[in-house]
mmCIF file of all heavy atoms in Angstrom:
data_model
loop_
_atom_site.group_PDB
_atom_site.id
_atom_site.type_symbol
_atom_site.label_atom_id
_atom_site.label_comp_id
_atom_site.label_asym_id
_atom_site.label_seq_id
_atom_site.Cartn_x
_atom_site.Cartn_y
_atom_site.Cartn_z
ATOM 1 N N GLN A 19 -15.132 11.354 -13.008
ATOM 2 C CA GLN A 19 -16.558 11.592 -13.184
ATOM 3 C C GLN A 19 -17.354 11.370 -11.901
ATOM 4 O O GLN A 19 -18.571 11.368 -11.928
ATOM 5 C CB GLN A 19 -17.097 10.688 -14.299
ATOM 6 C CG GLN A 19 -16.449 10.954 -15.651
ATOM 7 C CD GLN A 19 -17.029 10.095 -16.757
ATOM 8 O OE1 GLN A 19 -18.170 10.313 -17.189
ATOM 9 N NE2 GLN A 19 -16.266 9.115 -17.211
ATOM 10 N N ASP A 20 -16.647 11.185 -10.780
ATOM 11 C CA ASP A 20 -17.296 11.099 -9.468
ATOM 12 C C ASP A 20 -17.379 12.482 -8.837
ATOM 13 O O ASP A 20 -16.602 13.385 -9.173
ATOM 14 C CB ASP A 20 -16.503 10.189 -8.527
ATOM 15 C CG ASP A 20 -16.538 8.732 -8.925
ATOM 16 O OD1 ASP A 20 -17.261 8.380 -9.879
ATOM 17 O OD2 ASP A 20 -15.837 7.937 -8.271
ATOM 18 N N ALA A 21 -18.301 12.632 -7.907
ATOM 19 C CA ALA A 21 -18.412 13.868 -7.136
ATOM 20 C C ALA A 21 -18.950 13.531 -5.751
ATOM 21 O O ALA A 21 -19.697 12.561 -5.594
ATOM 22 C CB ALA A 21 -19.346 14.859 -7.831
ATOM 23 N N TYR A 22 -18.561 14.320 -4.766
ATOM 24 C CA TYR A 22 -19.144 14.150 -3.437
ATOM 25 C C TYR A 22 -19.256 15.501 -2.750
ATOM 26 O O TYR A 22 -18.541 16.446 -3.073
ATOM 27 C CB TYR A 22 -18.337 13.158 -2.591
ATOM 28 C CG TYR A 22 -17.011 13.672 -2.067
ATOM 29 C CD1 TYR A 22 -16.926 14.288 -0.815
ATOM 30 C CD2 TYR A 22 -15.835 13.545 -2.813
ATOM 31 C CE1 TYR A 22 -15.705 14.747 -0.323
ATOM 32 C CE2 TYR A 22 -14.620 13.992 -2.333
ATOM 33 C CZ TYR A 22 -14.559 14.593 -1.085
ATOM 34 O OH TYR A 22 -13.356 15.051 -0.609
ATOM 35 N N ARG A 23 -20.183 15.577 -1.807
ATOM 36 C CA ARG A 23 -20.371 16.778 -1.003
ATOM 37 C C ARG A 23 -20.591 16.348 0.441
ATOM 38 O O ARG A 23 -21.315 15.400 0.710
ATOM 39 C CB ARG A 23 -21.588 17.595 -1.479
ATOM 40 C CG ARG A 23 -21.521 18.069 -2.923
ATOM 41 C CD ARG A 23 -20.478 19.152 -3.119
ATOM 42 N NE ARG A 23 -20.508 19.690 -4.478
ATOM 43 C CZ ARG A 23 -19.872 19.166 -5.520
ATOM 44 N NH1 ARG A 23 -19.147 18.070 -5.352
ATOM 45 N NH2 ARG A 23 -19.947 19.717 -6.715
ATOM 46 N N ILE A 24 -19.959 17.075 1.366
ATOM 47 C CA ILE A 24 -20.114 16.820 2.793
ATOM 48 C C ILE A 24 -20.579 18.098 3.468
ATOM 49 O O ILE A 24 -19.944 19.148 3.326
ATOM 50 C CB ILE A 24 -18.780 16.353 3.416
ATOM 51 C CG1 ILE A 24 -18.384 14.976 2.872
ATOM 52 C CG2 ILE A 24 -18.883 16.321 4.944
ATOM 53 C CD1 ILE A 24 -17.048 14.479 3.394
ATOM 54 N N ASP A 25 -21.682 18.015 4.183
ATOM 55 C CA ASP A 25 -22.150 19.166 4.935
ATOM 56 C C ASP A 25 -21.173 19.442 6.073
ATOM 57 O O ASP A 25 -20.817 18.519 6.823
ATOM 58 C CB ASP A 25 -23.551 18.883 5.499
ATOM 59 C CG ASP A 25 -24.053 20.014 6.372
ATOM 60 O OD1 ASP A 25 -24.236 21.122 5.841
ATOM 61 O OD2 ASP A 25 -24.240 19.789 7.591
ATOM 62 N N PRO A 26 -20.699 20.687 6.217
ATOM 63 C CA PRO A 26 -19.716 20.989 7.257
ATOM 64 C C PRO A 26 -20.187 20.646 8.665
ATOM 65 O O PRO A 26 -19.376 20.366 9.550
ATOM 66 C CB PRO A 26 -19.495 22.504 7.106
ATOM 67 C CG PRO A 26 -19.884 22.808 5.694
ATOM 68 C CD PRO A 26 -20.999 21.866 5.380
ATOM 69 N N GLN A 27 -21.522 20.644 8.864
ATOM 70 C CA GLN A 27 -22.077 20.321 10.181
ATOM 71 C C GLN A 27 -22.346 18.820 10.351
ATOM 72 O O GLN A 27 -22.839 18.404 11.399
ATOM 73 C CB GLN A 27 -23.373 21.104 10.396
ATOM 74 C CG GLN A 27 -23.193 22.614 10.342
ATOM 75 C CD GLN A 27 -24.518 23.350 10.474
ATOM 76 O OE1 GLN A 27 -25.287 23.090 11.402
ATOM 77 N NE2 GLN A 27 -24.807 24.248 9.541
ATOM 78 N N GLY A 28 -22.049 18.049 9.329
ATOM 79 C CA GLY A 28 -22.262 16.611 9.407
ATOM 80 C C GLY A 28 -23.718 16.200 9.335
ATOM 81 O O GLY A 28 -24.097 15.123 9.800
ATOM 82 N N ARG A 29 -24.545 17.045 8.708
ATOM 83 C CA ARG A 29 -25.970 16.723 8.624
ATOM 84 C C ARG A 29 -26.290 15.786 7.469
ATOM 85 O O ARG A 29 -27.254 15.015 7.537
ATOM 86 C CB ARG A 29 -26.782 18.016 8.464
ATOM 87 C CG ARG A 29 -26.655 18.978 9.629
ATOM 88 C CD ARG A 29 -27.415 20.271 9.377
ATOM 89 N NE ARG A 29 -26.902 20.969 8.189
ATOM 90 C CZ ARG A 29 -27.435 22.092 7.698
ATOM 91 N NH1 ARG A 29 -28.501 22.614 8.270
ATOM 92 N NH2 ARG A 29 -26.901 22.672 6.643
ATOM 93 N N PHE A 30 -25.513 15.858 6.388
ATOM 94 C CA PHE A 30 -25.765 14.981 5.253
ATOM 95 C C PHE A 30 -24.488 14.781 4.450
ATOM 96 O O PHE A 30 -23.550 15.590 4.514
ATOM 97 C CB PHE A 30 -26.876 15.543 4.349
ATOM 98 C CG PHE A 30 -26.605 16.922 3.819
ATOM 99 C CD1 PHE A 30 -25.778 17.131 2.724
ATOM 100 C CD2 PHE A 30 -27.194 18.029 4.417
ATOM 101 C CE1 PHE A 30 -25.525 18.403 2.240
ATOM 102 C CE2 PHE A 30 -26.956 19.313 3.929
ATOM 103 C CZ PHE A 30 -26.120 19.501 2.841
ATOM 104 N N PHE A 31 -24.494 13.696 3.694
ATOM 105 C CA PHE A 31 -23.336 13.289 2.893
ATOM 106 C C PHE A 31 -23.860 12.803 1.546
ATOM 107 O O PHE A 31 -24.809 12.018 1.490
ATOM 108 C CB PHE A 31 -22.562 12.181 3.615
ATOM 109 C CG PHE A 31 -22.195 12.544 5.022
ATOM 110 C CD1 PHE A 31 -23.082 12.290 6.071
ATOM 111 C CD2 PHE A 31 -20.989 13.160 5.302
ATOM 112 C CE1 PHE A 31 -22.771 12.643 7.367
ATOM 113 C CE2 PHE A 31 -20.661 13.518 6.600
ATOM 114 C CZ PHE A 31 -21.549 13.260 7.638
ATOM 115 N N ILE A 32 -23.223 13.252 0.465
ATOM 116 C CA ILE A 32 -23.703 12.980 -0.897
ATOM 117 C C ILE A 32 -22.559 12.431 -1.731
ATOM 118 O O ILE A 32 -21.436 12.954 -1.671
ATOM 119 C CB ILE A 32 -24.221 14.274 -1.561
ATOM 120 C CG1 ILE A 32 -25.297 14.940 -0.706
ATOM 121 C CG2 ILE A 32 -24.737 13.993 -2.974
ATOM 122 C CD1 ILE A 32 -25.590 16.389 -1.126
ATOM 123 N N LEU A 33 -22.841 11.405 -2.530
ATOM 124 C CA LEU A 33 -21.853 10.874 -3.462
ATOM 125 C C LEU A 33 -22.543 10.532 -4.770
ATOM 126 O O LEU A 33 -23.657 9.986 -4.767
ATOM 127 C CB LEU A 33 -21.173 9.638 -2.874
ATOM 128 C CG LEU A 33 -20.000 9.057 -3.667
ATOM 129 C CD1 LEU A 33 -18.941 8.495 -2.709
ATOM 130 C CD2 LEU A 33 -20.470 7.943 -4.608
ATOM 131 N N ALA A 34 -21.912 10.880 -5.895
ATOM 132 C CA ALA A 34 -22.478 10.614 -7.219
ATOM 133 C C ALA A 34 -21.395 10.124 -8.162
ATOM 134 O O ALA A 34 -20.239 10.535 -8.064
ATOM 135 C CB ALA A 34 -23.130 11.883 -7.781
ATOM 136 N N ASP A 35 -21.781 9.259 -9.079
ATOM 137 C CA ASP A 35 -20.867 8.653 -10.049
ATOM 138 C C ASP A 35 -21.482 8.816 -11.434
ATOM 139 O O ASP A 35 -22.471 8.160 -11.766
ATOM 140 C CB ASP A 35 -20.657 7.171 -9.696
ATOM 141 C CG ASP A 35 -19.741 6.447 -10.676
ATOM 142 O OD1 ASP A 35 -19.284 7.073 -11.644
ATOM 143 O OD2 ASP A 35 -19.502 5.243 -10.472
ATOM 144 N N GLY A 36 -20.904 9.691 -12.241
ATOM 145 C CA GLY A 36 -21.489 10.036 -13.526
ATOM 146 C C GLY A 36 -21.090 9.115 -14.660
ATOM 147 O O GLY A 36 -20.086 8.401 -14.583
ATOM 148 N N MET A 37 -21.893 9.153 -15.712
ATOM 149 C CA MET A 37 -21.578 8.408 -16.930
ATOM 150 C C MET A 37 -22.078 9.207 -18.127
ATOM 151 O O MET A 37 -22.876 10.123 -17.993
ATOM 152 C CB MET A 37 -22.207 7.010 -16.909
ATOM 153 C CG MET A 37 -23.709 6.955 -17.122
ATOM 154 S SD MET A 37 -24.740 7.443 -15.726
ATOM 155 C CE MET A 37 -24.292 6.211 -14.521
ATOM 156 N N GLY A 38 -21.553 8.845 -19.322
ATOM 157 C CA GLY A 38 -21.998 9.528 -20.527
ATOM 158 C C GLY A 38 -20.892 10.318 -21.189
ATOM 159 O O GLY A 38 -21.128 11.434 -21.660
ATOM 160 N N GLY A 39 -19.681 9.760 -21.205
ATOM 161 C CA GLY A 39 -18.565 10.480 -21.823
ATOM 162 C C GLY A 39 -17.886 11.382 -20.816
ATOM 163 O O GLY A 39 -18.428 11.684 -19.749
ATOM 164 N N HIS A 40 -16.688 11.835 -21.147
ATOM 165 C CA HIS A 40 -15.884 12.616 -20.216
ATOM 166 C C HIS A 40 -16.624 13.846 -19.701
ATOM 167 O O HIS A 40 -16.804 14.033 -18.504
ATOM 168 C CB HIS A 40 -14.573 13.029 -20.883
ATOM 169 C CG HIS A 40 -13.606 11.883 -21.005
ATOM 170 N ND1 HIS A 40 -12.342 12.038 -21.530
ATOM 171 C CD2 HIS A 40 -13.708 10.576 -20.664
ATOM 172 C CE1 HIS A 40 -11.716 10.867 -21.518
ATOM 173 N NE2 HIS A 40 -12.528 9.972 -20.994
ATOM 174 N N ALA A 41 -17.069 14.707 -20.618
ATOM 175 C CA ALA A 41 -17.740 15.938 -20.191
ATOM 176 C C ALA A 41 -19.091 15.631 -19.564
ATOM 177 O O ALA A 41 -19.475 16.224 -18.557
ATOM 178 C CB ALA A 41 -17.904 16.883 -21.375
ATOM 179 N N GLY A 42 -19.834 14.672 -20.140
ATOM 180 C CA GLY A 42 -21.172 14.367 -19.651
ATOM 181 C C GLY A 42 -21.178 13.798 -18.253
ATOM 182 O O GLY A 42 -21.916 14.257 -17.384
ATOM 183 N N GLY A 43 -20.354 12.786 -17.996
ATOM 184 C CA GLY A 43 -20.343 12.164 -16.682
ATOM 185 C C GLY A 43 -19.899 13.113 -15.592
ATOM 186 O O GLY A 43 -20.478 13.144 -14.501
ATOM 187 N N GLU A 44 -18.896 13.885 -15.884
ATOM 188 C CA GLU A 44 -18.386 14.850 -14.903
ATOM 189 C C GLU A 44 -19.439 15.903 -14.592
ATOM 190 O O GLU A 44 -19.650 16.278 -13.430
ATOM 191 C CB GLU A 44 -17.114 15.495 -15.447
ATOM 192 C CG GLU A 44 -16.345 16.316 -14.454
ATOM 193 C CD GLU A 44 -15.021 16.816 -15.015
ATOM 194 O OE1 GLU A 44 -14.811 16.721 -16.248
ATOM 195 O OE2 GLU A 44 -14.207 17.300 -14.229
ATOM 196 N N GLU A 45 -20.122 16.381 -15.631
ATOM 197 C CA GLU A 45 -21.163 17.390 -15.447
ATOM 198 C C GLU A 45 -22.351 16.824 -14.682
ATOM 199 O O GLU A 45 -22.888 17.475 -13.777
ATOM 200 C CB GLU A 45 -21.626 17.921 -16.807
ATOM 201 C CG GLU A 45 -22.735 18.965 -16.747
ATOM 202 C CD GLU A 45 -22.296 20.282 -16.126
ATOM 203 O OE1 GLU A 45 -21.083 20.547 -16.069
ATOM 204 O OE2 GLU A 45 -23.180 21.052 -15.693
ATOM 205 N N ALA A 46 -22.777 15.610 -15.028
ATOM 206 C CA ALA A 46 -23.961 15.015 -14.404
ATOM 207 C C ALA A 46 -23.757 14.790 -12.911
ATOM 208 O O ALA A 46 -24.630 15.123 -12.095
ATOM 209 C CB ALA A 46 -24.312 13.701 -15.094
ATOM 210 N N SER A 47 -22.625 14.217 -12.520
ATOM 211 C CA SER A 47 -22.390 13.949 -11.101
ATOM 212 C C SER A 47 -22.251 15.243 -10.303
ATOM 213 O O SER A 47 -22.789 15.361 -9.197
ATOM 214 C CB SER A 47 -21.150 13.072 -10.916
ATOM 215 O OG SER A 47 -19.988 13.722 -11.386
ATOM 216 N N SER A 48 -21.538 16.206 -10.872
ATOM 217 C CA SER A 48 -21.366 17.485 -10.182
ATOM 218 C C SER A 48 -22.697 18.212 -10.033
ATOM 219 O O SER A 48 -23.003 18.763 -8.964
ATOM 220 C CB SER A 48 -20.369 18.361 -10.948
ATOM 221 O OG SER A 48 -20.204 19.599 -10.310
ATOM 222 N N LEU A 49 -23.492 18.191 -11.092
ATOM 223 C CA LEU A 49 -24.794 18.870 -11.061
ATOM 224 C C LEU A 49 -25.715 18.212 -10.038
ATOM 225 O O LEU A 49 -26.384 18.902 -9.254
ATOM 226 C CB LEU A 49 -25.415 18.832 -12.460
ATOM 227 C CG LEU A 49 -26.662 19.672 -12.710
ATOM 228 C CD1 LEU A 49 -26.416 21.138 -12.373
ATOM 229 C CD2 LEU A 49 -27.092 19.526 -14.171
ATOM 230 N N ALA A 50 -25.743 16.890 -10.019
ATOM 231 C CA ALA A 50 -26.594 16.188 -9.060
ATOM 232 C C ALA A 50 -26.177 16.508 -7.628
ATOM 233 O O ALA A 50 -27.028 16.806 -6.776
ATOM 234 C CB ALA A 50 -26.522 14.684 -9.301
ATOM 235 N N ALA A 51 -24.892 16.448 -7.348
ATOM 236 C CA ALA A 51 -24.409 16.716 -5.993
ATOM 237 C C ALA A 51 -24.733 18.139 -5.561
ATOM 238 O O ALA A 51 -25.166 18.375 -4.423
ATOM 239 C CB ALA A 51 -22.905 16.459 -5.914
ATOM 240 N N GLU A 52 -24.549 19.093 -6.472
ATOM 241 C CA GLU A 52 -24.805 20.500 -6.149
ATOM 242 C C GLU A 52 -26.286 20.754 -5.899
ATOM 243 O O GLU A 52 -26.663 21.452 -4.948
ATOM 244 C CB GLU A 52 -24.313 21.396 -7.284
ATOM 245 C CG GLU A 52 -22.806 21.505 -7.376
ATOM 246 C CD GLU A 52 -22.197 22.288 -6.229
ATOM 247 O OE1 GLU A 52 -22.942 22.982 -5.502
ATOM 248 O OE2 GLU A 52 -20.979 22.193 -6.028
ATOM 249 N N VAL A 53 -27.150 20.195 -6.755
ATOM 250 C CA VAL A 53 -28.590 20.436 -6.630
ATOM 251 C C VAL A 53 -29.135 19.780 -5.362
ATOM 252 O O VAL A 53 -29.929 20.383 -4.623
ATOM 253 C CB VAL A 53 -29.341 19.930 -7.878
ATOM 254 C CG1 VAL A 53 -30.845 19.960 -7.651
ATOM 255 C CG2 VAL A 53 -28.974 20.775 -9.095
ATOM 256 N N ILE A 54 -28.718 18.558 -5.084
ATOM 257 C CA ILE A 54 -29.179 17.876 -3.869
ATOM 258 C C ILE A 54 -28.708 18.639 -2.634
ATOM 259 O O ILE A 54 -29.485 18.887 -1.702
ATOM 260 C CB ILE A 54 -28.675 16.424 -3.843
ATOM 261 C CG1 ILE A 54 -29.356 15.611 -4.942
ATOM 262 C CG2 ILE A 54 -28.948 15.787 -2.474
ATOM 263 C CD1 ILE A 54 -28.776 14.224 -5.138
ATOM 264 N N GLN A 55 -27.453 19.037 -2.620
ATOM 265 C CA GLN A 55 -26.925 19.807 -1.498
ATOM 266 C C GLN A 55 -27.707 21.111 -1.306
ATOM 267 O O GLN A 55 -28.111 21.441 -0.189
ATOM 268 C CB GLN A 55 -25.447 20.113 -1.719
ATOM 269 C CG GLN A 55 -24.822 20.954 -0.618
ATOM 270 C CD GLN A 55 -23.386 21.326 -0.936
ATOM 271 O OE1 GLN A 55 -23.066 21.719 -2.053
ATOM 272 N NE2 GLN A 55 -22.505 21.175 0.038
ATOM 273 N N SER A 56 -27.902 21.835 -2.377
ATOM 274 C CA SER A 56 -28.602 23.117 -2.304
ATOM 275 C C SER A 56 -30.022 22.949 -1.781
ATOM 276 O O SER A 56 -30.485 23.733 -0.937
ATOM 277 C CB SER A 56 -28.614 23.777 -3.684
ATOM 278 O OG SER A 56 -29.329 24.994 -3.654
ATOM 279 N N TYR A 57 -30.714 21.923 -2.262
ATOM 280 C CA TYR A 57 -32.102 21.723 -1.827
ATOM 281 C C TYR A 57 -32.159 21.358 -0.349
ATOM 282 O O TYR A 57 -32.996 21.877 0.401
ATOM 283 C CB TYR A 57 -32.770 20.636 -2.662
ATOM 284 C CG TYR A 57 -34.253 20.537 -2.384
ATOM 285 C CD1 TYR A 57 -35.167 21.338 -3.065
ATOM 286 C CD2 TYR A 57 -34.733 19.684 -1.389
ATOM 287 C CE1 TYR A 57 -36.521 21.275 -2.775
ATOM 288 C CE2 TYR A 57 -36.085 19.615 -1.099
ATOM 289 C CZ TYR A 57 -36.979 20.411 -1.798
ATOM 290 O OH TYR A 57 -38.322 20.361 -1.506
#
Side-chain angles (χ1 to χ4, degrees):
Q19 298 182 72
D20 291 355
Y22 74 91
R23 301 290 185 275
I24 293 177
D25 176 64
Q27 300 176 51
R29 298 177 299 176
F30 57 80
F31 307 88
I32 305 165
L33 187 145
D35 179 359
M37 73 284 298
H40 286 182
E44 191 174 12
E45 179 67 19
S47 62
S48 179
L49 190 56
E52 288 290 346
V53 170
I54 292 171
Q55 178 185 44
S56 178
Y57 188 86

